Amino acid sequence: MTSTLQQENSKQLVDRAIEVLAKGSQVAVRDFVRSLYPAETAHVLESLGPEQRTKIWSVIPPSVMGTILVEVNVDVGSFLLKITDRKDLIAASENLGSDKMVDLLHVLPEPLLSQVIETIGTNNRAQFEQSLRYDEHTAGGMMSQELLTVRGDVTLDVAARYLRLRGKIPATIDSLIVVDRKEQFQGLLPLSQFLSHDPHKKVAEVMDAKATTISYRMPTRDVAVLFEQRKLLSVPVLADDGKVIGLITVDDVVPVIRAEAEHSLMGMAGLTEEHDMFAPVMTSAKRRAVWLGINLLTAFLAAWVIDLFEDAIQQIVALAVLMPIVASMGGIAGSQTLTLVIRGLALRQVSAGNTVSLFFKEISVGLVNGLIWSVVVASVAAFWFHDVHLGFLLGAAMMINLVCAALSGVAIPVALDRMGIDPALAGGVLLTTVTDVVGFMAFLGLATLFLL
Amino acid sequence: MTSTLQQENSKQLVDRAIEVLAKGSQVAVRDFVRSLYPAETAHVLESLGPEQRTKIWSVIPPSVMGTILVEVNVDVGSFLLKITDRKDLIAASENLGSDKMVDLLHVLPEPLLSQVIETIGTNNRAQFEQSLRYDEHTAGGMMSQELLTVRGDVTLDVAARYLRLRGKIPATIDSLIVVDRKEQFQGLLPLSQFLSHDPHKKVAEVMDAKATTISYRMPTRDVAVLFEQRKLLSVPVLADDGKVIGLITVDDVVPVIRAEAEHSLMGMAGLTEEHDMFAPVMTSAKRRAVWLGINLLTAFLAAWVIDLFEDAIQQIVALAVLMPIVASMGGIAGSQTLTLVIRGLALRQVSAGNTVSLFFKEISVGLVNGLIWSVVVASVAAFWFHDVHLGFLLGAAMMINLVCAALSGVAIPVALDRMGIDPALAGGVLLTTVTDVVGFMAFLGLATLFLL
């Protein structure tokens, strides 16, 4: 089974799911699902419409439902919760570790929550309640509380014997955490060190005492950047008093990086990264309606600006023909700057110290491109409408709009970010408002002044 | 030093770099740079303008230049290469492993290439030349050829002694690869297994024989998805004959996930993920000019459509006032669908089997939102211009355009993807062309038919 699967990419997985479902044999569907990893099942569920999704879900045993529920996006998770039996859900949550459990709680509806919490054994309860205390968007919310700690004054041999007695080591744990009597962090001991050193050496001699540690308060975003930049595999998380309270491993970070990068992409279209591609039509329509409504206000504002110049258009219809060019080019140039700055902000490359030089650079780029394309646009328009003055005004308006676009492309996201508003979400609408209004105003205004 | 740094996020890092540079002491700059990890230095270099970038680069010893060069994006890399001494560059490349070396080759200018290649010791040369044979965008291009292999018929104890003799194990290696006499893959042995099993057990008893393996031909995209979905830490890469030729670890995958997700975001604005935020003005302007030029063609096409209805506009100026609303709402709705589908394609969730149902879903969403906002737009326009017919036509045109937007939002990226064209790059322009042309055509056309 493994050998077939490993040659298959996730797209083929979706196609195979559709194929198996089409054949209609429940046994075949069950066998197919059984061959998948939890996240692969989640991928298939996210890629199918509600009907097929229900069919797949119905063959999944309650004992693994929990591991799949924490993998799907929030939208699909809510859908699955609605079609799942209460009893099954409680069974599903029993098989999760305390950190996964906390993830599940974010999707569980209120009445079920208390029931699930009751099922947690007293042993896990303390750890679980501890987990709830940490903000989901910080290192505390990401970390696993499963730790292997060791004291620095024992030999590698003793530590190894202790590990052997303890039994199976979780696959994601690549290091032991070295602590002193007061559980204060001393260093990190990669498991590979056991295999490249004399067993009689002390742990403290071999450990990495300069290992990176972080506070449980560090935002997930920064944790992800830290892992990427330092190529870390695991990082101990410390409480304010220096006690080690958890461990974040690189596999915890991968979903954060994915979500972070997708957030900008989806946000710029007014969507979220948790969006379900096959959400019911009414749910999708309702969500997107809000975004369209906001943009409609922008469009009406632009229309109102045009209306101010009704007389000019009545006298020179060519103005109506050419005015969308000015607005559209401003929008495109502005969105290039905007995208660049939004990425820079997300990657923490735009800071207080370099915003000003970024400003000047973008305005310069706007000027250069304004110059090039103004000449082109002006020539085409002058030739088309046999009117050199019209061409000249069109070029001038475009120049003004491209510089404004560069200005707002930097200023809007930076300002939003400082106000704590997500620039990926609100930046595009604001920018288009500026480039539309300035574009129409500049072109029609100049025409009113000089052509009428 | 570590304790200060670890509390600092990368944004503060950039600010601190600017601060240190402002003070003007070369020693302070050197000390600052020395406290950074290579990727952190790369981050700082990417976040600074050319002048400050040069200052930072000048204090970096040639021996670590290589590790930084492979971290910065291509644009910044080329900039740094230009300001680096030839001798230093050759020294820089000497300290890189063969896989990193290959990364460096992508940024090195032609004449330098041969000199650098000559510096490679004969020992590494075979491995290095092997690396060059693999496509950069496949598993072969990602993998490290540094492997620790072991035979299945030895005991854990013997394997451990062999490792100890071998010396330091690279930090990213978390597993040994178990092979038979013919170097065929048998299984994976996580290093942690040494510590949780009796040393007298055979490797073959303890290893994971069902571990996921991949072909060296698997595209990097699929490798990334596989790691994410199966939560893998390392995957052996096999040649066609089943021989193990390399190992990919999760830290190799993190940059791929980041680049992949950013590619869509930047592509939609006609930029690449390798874009240097502080590239020289002329370089930036030249690159973006192409994108603006392509969009200008679209804008002129839309203008030409408007020009067809010159008479209608001359008679009813309100048409010119309202027409941008139709085009703009179509563009927004279309880009929502487009973004969703582009993400679906990148995540491998959109496949041949579910495209049709996605089509119907998006068209339904378009119909619902078309209905809602057409009524709003129609009412506002009817009230504004005291003309119920005009309002009705505006609503109808918007309805048509939103459905067209939904249709093209799915059809354009899916078609581009099948043709092997990047949908993130070309999708937006094509979509805007459709929504502009259809929007103006529908509104002005309907008006010509029913109002004149």
Side-chain angles (χ1 to χ4, degrees):
Chain A
M1 188 62 79
T2 322
S3 62
T4 349
L5 258 183
Q6 67 208 20
Q7 304 307 332
E8 210 164 37
N9 70 33
S10 338
K11 201 161 155 186
Q12 292 162 332
L13 219 57
V14 176
D15 280 336
R16 201 145 67 87
I18 293 168
E19 208 179 284
V20 172
L21 283 167
K23 280 188 191 143
S25 143
Q26 251 220 328
V27 179
V29 175
R30 187 165 309 185
D31 284 347
F32 168 69
V33 172
R34 210 172 275 163
S35 75
L36 303 178
Y37 284 66
E40 286 173 333
T41 313
H43 177 86
V44 168
L45 287 167
E46 286 183 356
S47 309
L48 295 175
E51 204 184 319
Q52 293 167 309
R53 196 178 277 164
T54 310
K55 276 190 198 151
I56 296 268
W57 191 242
S58 69
V59 303
I60 293 172
S63 58
V64 298
M65 279 179 175
T67 55
I68 295 165
L69 275 175
V70 296
E71 293 294 338
V72 293
N73 65 39
V74 175
D75 280 6
V76 173
S78 315
F79 173 85
L80 294 174
L81 282 175
K82 270 187 215 134
I83 59 166
T84 314
D85 214 62
R86 257 157 190 267
K87 262 187 233 156
D88 290 350
L89 266 185
I90 293 166
S93 53
E94 271 166 5
N95 290 300
L96 292 174
S98 69
D99 54 330
K100 292 286 168 196
M101 190 74 153
V102 174
D103 291 343
L104 190 58
L105 289 189
H106 294 294
V107 287
L108 281 185
E110 199 53 63
L112 211 74
L113 210 64
S114 54
Q115 269 182 280
V116 168
I117 291 178
E118 274 167 36
T119 66
I120 306 170
T122 23
N123 227 347
N124 286 322
R125 188 179 297 266
Q127 224 179 58
F128 169 73
E129 282 173 356
Q130 191 67 38
S131 303
L132 274 181
R133 245 175 268 163
Y134 302 116
D135 180 350
E136 205 196 336
H137 301 290
T138 62
M142 286 173 85
M143 71 188 187
S144 151
Q145 295 181 61
E146 263 186 295
L147 297 175
L148 289 177
T149 53
V150 69
R151 291 272 289 281
D153 50 11
V154 301
T155 60
L156 291 178
D157 200 30
V158 171
R161 255 185 290 153
Y162 153 71
L163 288 176
R164 226 164 266 137
L165 282 172
R166 201 190 163 284
K168 205 170 169 334
I169 300 172
T172 54
I173 289 189
D174 69 324
S175 304
L176 303 187
I177 292 165
V178 186
V179 292
D180 66 9
R181 272 161 221 275
K182 289 172 183 162
E183 285 187 70
Q184 299 285 306
F185 178 76
Q186 299 285 302
L188 208 59
L189 180 68
L191 295 182
S192 60
Q193 296 297 312
F194 279 96
L195 299 166
S196 47
H197 287 284
D198 178 352
H200 301 297
K201 275 198 175 163
K202 289 259 169 71
V203 164
E205 293 173 64
V206 176
M207 71 182 189
D208 177 8
K210 283 185 179 169
T212 303
T213 59
I214 55 175
S215 153
Y216 70 98
R217 291 209 212 84
M218 184 182 260
T220 46
R221 242 193 196 195
D222 293 325
V223 175
V225 173
L226 198 73
F227 267 83
E228 274 186 272
Q229 295 195 334
R230 300 193 174 182
K231 308 206 181 310
L232 302 170
L233 296 173
S234 51
V235 168
V237 182
L238 307 188
D240 291 330
D241 59 4
K243 261 191 201 150
V244 184
I245 52 173
L247 187 73
I248 296 178
T249 46
V250 65
D251 60 305
D252 301 323
V253 172
V254 167
V256 173
I257 294 172
R258 169 71 77 185
E260 174 77 17
E262 275 188 3
H263 175 77
S264 303
L265 174 69
M266 299 295 272
M268 286 184 85
L271 306 167
T272 73
E273 65 275 22
E274 294 291 350
H275 206 93
D276 170 11
M277 206 161 55
F278 289 100
V281 172
M282 290 316 292
T283 313
S284 294
K286 216 163 74 187
R287 278 199 199 148
R288 296 198 221 162
V290 179
W291 193 244
L292 288 168
I294 294 171
N295 277 282
L296 187 58
L297 287 177
T298 302
F300 267 119
L301 183 65
W304 175 76
V305 172
I306 299 171
D307 194 41
L308 295 177
F309 302 96
E310 206 185 329
D311 289 346
I313 294 172
Q314 189 117 46
Q315 289 177 52
I316 311 165
V317 179
L319 296 180
V321 173
L322 296 172
M323 67 184 185
I325 297 177
V326 183
S328 139
M329 289 293 276
I332 296 290
S335 81
Q336 289 193 317
T337 305
L338 182 75
T339 305
L340 207 65
V341 175
I342 285 176
R343 187 186 70 144
L345 286 167
L347 293 183
R348 309 289 202 198
Q349 291 189 334
V350 174
S351 72
N354 59 13
T355 306
V356 175
S357 45
L358 194 60
F359 244 114
F360 283 110
K361 190 222 144 189
E362 286 300 316
I363 289 176
S364 311
V365 173
L367 278 170
V368 173
N369 268 319
L371 217 60
I372 299 171
W373 294 111
S374 293
V375 172
V376 174
V377 164
S379 315
V380 174
F383 186 77
W384 186 358
F385 293 97
H386 310 290
D387 186 339
V388 177
H389 290 106
L390 182 68
F392 187 76
L393 290 183
L394 181 67
M398 218 179 77
M399 188 82 197
I400 293 170
N401 208 19
L402 285 198
V403 173
C404 269
L407 243 153
S408 356
V410 181
I412 291 174
V414 169
L416 288 173
D417 189 57
R418 290 212 187 142
M419 289 187 282
I421 301 169
D422 180 6
L425 192 62
V429 186
L430 286 175
L431 180 88
T432 322
T433 309
V434 172
T435 51
D436 277 3
V437 168
V438 171
F440 292 134
M441 193 86 90
F443 182 49
L444 299 175
L446 286 175
T448 305
L449 281 177
F450 296 104
L451 289 185
L452 296 188
Chain B
M1 190 60 77
T2 323
S3 63
T4 349
L5 259 184
Q6 68 208 19
Q7 305 306 331
E8 211 163 37
N9 69 35
S10 338
K11 200 162 157 185
Q12 292 162 333
L13 218 57
V14 175
D15 280 335
R16 201 145 67 87
I18 294 168
E19 207 179 286
V20 172
L21 283 166
K23 280 189 192 143
S25 144
Q26 252 221 330
V27 179
V29 175
R30 186 164 310 183
D31 283 345
F32 167 68
V33 172
R34 208 172 276 163
S35 75
L36 302 179
Y37 284 66
E40 285 173 334
T41 312
H43 177 87
V44 168
L45 287 167
E46 286 183 356
S47 310
L48 295 175
E51 202 182 321
Q52 293 167 310
R53 197 179 277 164
T54 309
K55 276 189 199 156
I56 295 269
W57 190 241
S58 68
V59 303
I60 293 174
S63 58
V64 297
M65 278 179 175
T67 56
I68 294 166
L69 275 175
V70 296
E71 293 294 336
V72 293
N73 65 40
V74 175
D75 280 7
V76 174
S78 316
F79 172 87
L80 295 175
L81 282 174
K82 270 186 216 133
I83 59 168
T84 313
D85 214 64
R86 256 153 191 273
K87 262 188 231 157
D88 289 350
L89 264 186
I90 292 165
S93 53
E94 270 167 6
N95 290 299
L96 290 175
S98 69
D99 54 330
K100 293 286 168 199
M101 189 74 154
V102 174
D103 292 342
L104 189 59
L105 289 189
H106 294 292
V107 288
L108 281 185
E110 199 55 61
L112 210 74
L113 209 64
S114 53
Q115 269 182 280
V116 167
I117 290 178
E118 273 168 38
T119 66
I120 304 172
T122 24
N123 228 346
N124 287 323
R125 188 181 295 267
Q127 227 180 55
F128 170 72
E129 282 172 356
Q130 191 65 40
S131 304
L132 275 182
R133 245 177 266 163
Y134 301 114
D135 179 351
E136 206 196 335
H137 301 290
T138 63
M142 285 172 86
M143 71 187 188
S144 152
Q145 294 181 64
E146 262 187 295
L147 295 177
L148 290 177
T149 54
V150 69
R151 291 271 289 280
D153 51 10
V154 302
T155 62
L156 290 178
D157 200 31
V158 170
R161 255 183 292 153
Y162 154 70
L163 288 176
R164 226 164 266 137
L165 282 172
R166 199 189 165 284
K168 205 171 168 339
I169 300 172
T172 54
I173 288 190
D174 69 325
S175 304
L176 302 188
I177 293 164
V178 187
V179 292
D180 65 9
R181 273 161 220 275
K182 290 169 183 161
E183 285 189 70
Q184 298 287 305
F185 178 76
Q186 298 286 299
L188 208 60
L189 181 67
L191 295 182
S192 61
Q193 296 297 310
F194 279 96
L195 299 166
S196 47
H197 287 284
D198 178 353
H200 301 296
K201 277 199 176 166
K202 290 257 168 73
V203 164
E205 293 174 64
V206 176
M207 73 182 185
D208 177 7
K210 284 184 177 170
T212 302
T213 58
I214 56 175
S215 153
Y216 70 97
R217 292 210 212 84
M218 184 182 260
T220 47
R221 242 195 195 195
D222 292 326
V223 175
V225 172
L226 199 73
F227 267 83
E228 272 186 276
Q229 294 196 335
R230 301 194 173 181
K231 308 204 179 313
L232 302 170
L233 296 172
S234 52
V235 168
V237 182
L238 306 188
D240 290 331
D241 58 4
K243 259 191 201 152
V244 184
I245 52 173
L247 187 73
I248 298 178
T249 47
V250 65
D251 60 303
D252 300 322
V253 172
V254 167
V256 174
I257 294 173
R258 169 71 77 188
E260 173 76 18
E262 273 185 6
H263 175 78
S264 303
L265 174 70
M266 300 295 272
M268 287 184 84
L271 308 167
T272 73
E273 65 275 21
E274 295 291 350
H275 205 93
D276 170 11
M277 205 162 53
F278 290 99
V281 172
M282 289 318 288
T283 314
S284 295
K286 215 162 74 186
R287 276 198 199 151
R288 296 200 220 161
V290 179
W291 193 244
L292 287 168
I294 295 171
N295 277 281
L296 187 58
L297 287 178
T298 302
F300 268 118
L301 183 64
W304 175 75
V305 171
I306 299 172
D307 194 40
L308 295 177
F309 301 97
E310 206 185 329
D311 290 345
I313 294 172
Q314 189 117 48
Q315 289 177 52
I316 312 165
V317 179
L319 295 180
V321 175
L322 296 172
M323 67 185 187
I325 297 177
V326 183
S328 138
M329 288 294 276
I332 296 289
S335 81
Q336 289 195 316
T337 304
L338 182 75
T339 305
L340 208 64
V341 176
I342 285 176
R343 187 187 67 145
L345 286 167
L347 293 183
R348 309 287 201 200
Q349 292 189 335
V350 173
S351 72
N354 60 14
T355 307
V356 176
S357 45
L358 193 61
F359 245 115
F360 282 110
K361 192 221 140 186
E362 286 300 318
I363 290 176
S364 309
V365 173
L367 279 170
V368 173
N369 268 320
L371 217 61
I372 298 172
W373 293 112
S374 292
V375 171
V376 173
V377 164
S379 313
V380 174
F383 185 78
W384 186 357
F385 293 97
H386 312 290
D387 186 340
V388 178
H389 289 105
L390 182 68
F392 188 78
L393 291 182
L394 180 66
M398 219 179 77
M399 187 84 198
I400 292 170
N401 207 19
L402 286 199
V403 173
C404 268
L407 244 154
S408 358
V410 180
I412 290 173
V414 168
L416 288 172
D417 189 57
R418 292 215 185 137
M419 289 187 282
I421 302 169
D422 180 5
L425 192 63
V429 188
L430 286 176
L431 182 88
T432 323
T433 311
V434 172
T435 52
D436 277 2
V437 168
V438 171
F440 291 134
M441 192 85 91
F443 183 48
L444 299 176
L446 285 174
T448 306
L449 281 176
F450 294 105
L451 289 185
L452 296 188

